[in-house]
Amino acid sequence: MTSVVLVGCSANTATEPTPTTTTRIPRVTDNSVRPPITFDPCLDIPDEAMEELGYDARDKDVDAYPMGAHSFLGCTYKGTERVNGLRRFIVSILAGNVTLEEELAKKAEYSTPMVINGRAGLREVGHSGRGTCTYAVQVDFGVVLFSRSYLADGLTTVPEDQWCVDMDAMVSMVEPYLTP
């Protein structure tokens, strides 16, 4: 008995799955040798987290600040709390490839070292005189700044000793979303 084996070529019409990656191209780069910013506040902090903290995530402003020697990616959220019909506060979160040491050197006269969830940081109060409290938290590429400002309603001012009230809780809640 004789067998015949047929051998042929056929086109493979099955499509290969396209590899995916979680790495994205930074929104902003600079001309320095500093590390790229790997955390984007507008993309990496879930809207639900900011809403739980009292900020309107539907009305956020996306910012990018390429500055040649360093850069920042930012996101500004408006608070949902209102007093006399006006918003009470806003918060800007900026991720930058400057070091915590550079931030301290620039703002030493009104900064206090601190730790948030095990990360080194700074609390900066009083430099603007406008009700602003800023926390700088160290990350692998540099710092993430959380800057909350009270908005004056024309009738009352917030005493300086209250500018940072609840900031520890806010930054502690958002810190797990930061890159290492």
Side-chain angles (χ1 to χ4, degrees):
M1 182 167 245
T2 307
S3 346
V4 176
V5 176
L6 296 173
V7 179
C9 296
S10 67
N12 184 357
T13 57
T15 57
E16 296 283 325
T18 306
T20 59
T21 179
T22 56
T23 303
R24 65 175 171 261
I25 298 170
R27 278 195 288 132
V28 65
T29 57
D30 53 48
N31 300 326
S32 74
V33 294
R34 294 174 185 265
I37 300 166
T38 56
F39 171 76
D40 189 324
C42 280
L43 298 176
D44 295 329
I45 301 172
D47 288 347
E48 297 79 20
M50 294 307 294
E51 288 170 2
E52 186 177 329
L53 289 165
Y55 296 94
D56 186 354
R58 294 168 297 149
D59 188 16
K60 58 186 169 189
D61 295 325
V62 180
D63 302 307
Y65 304 101
M67 299 181 186
H70 59 274
S71 296
F72 284 92
L73 292 177
C75 199
T76 300
Y77 299 87
K78 296 173 180 86
T80 55
E81 180 184 345
R82 293 179 182 266
V83 174
N84 298 325
L86 301 173
R87 288 192 192 274
R88 181 81 169 144
F89 49 86
I90 61 170
V91 67
S92 293
I93 303 173
L94 296 168
N97 57 359
V98 298
T99 66
L100 189 63
E101 293 77 19
E102 289 173 303
E103 184 74 7
L104 177 59
K106 189 169 73 170
K107 300 176 179 176
E109 66 187 68
Y110 50 85
S111 294
T112 306
M114 56 172 291
V115 175
I116 291 286
N117 295 351
R119 293 182 191 256
L122 300 171
R123 179 181 296 116
E124 304 166 359
V125 184
H127 66 283
S128 71
R130 295 181 301 222
T132 300
C133 176
T134 300
Y135 278 33
V137 178
Q138 187 172 32
V139 293
D140 282 352
F141 59 81
V143 295
V144 176
L145 305 173
F146 297 82
S147 185
R148 184 182 65 193
S149 298
Y150 280 93
L151 304 175
D153 62 7
L155 303 173
T156 60
T157 58
V158 177
E160 186 173 324
D161 66 347
Q162 294 182 25
W163 293 358
C164 292
V165 169
D166 297 330
M167 283 288 288
D168 283 357
M170 182 190 79
V171 176
S172 292
M173 185 173 168
V174 174
E175 182 277 332
Y177 300 108
L178 308 180
T179 55

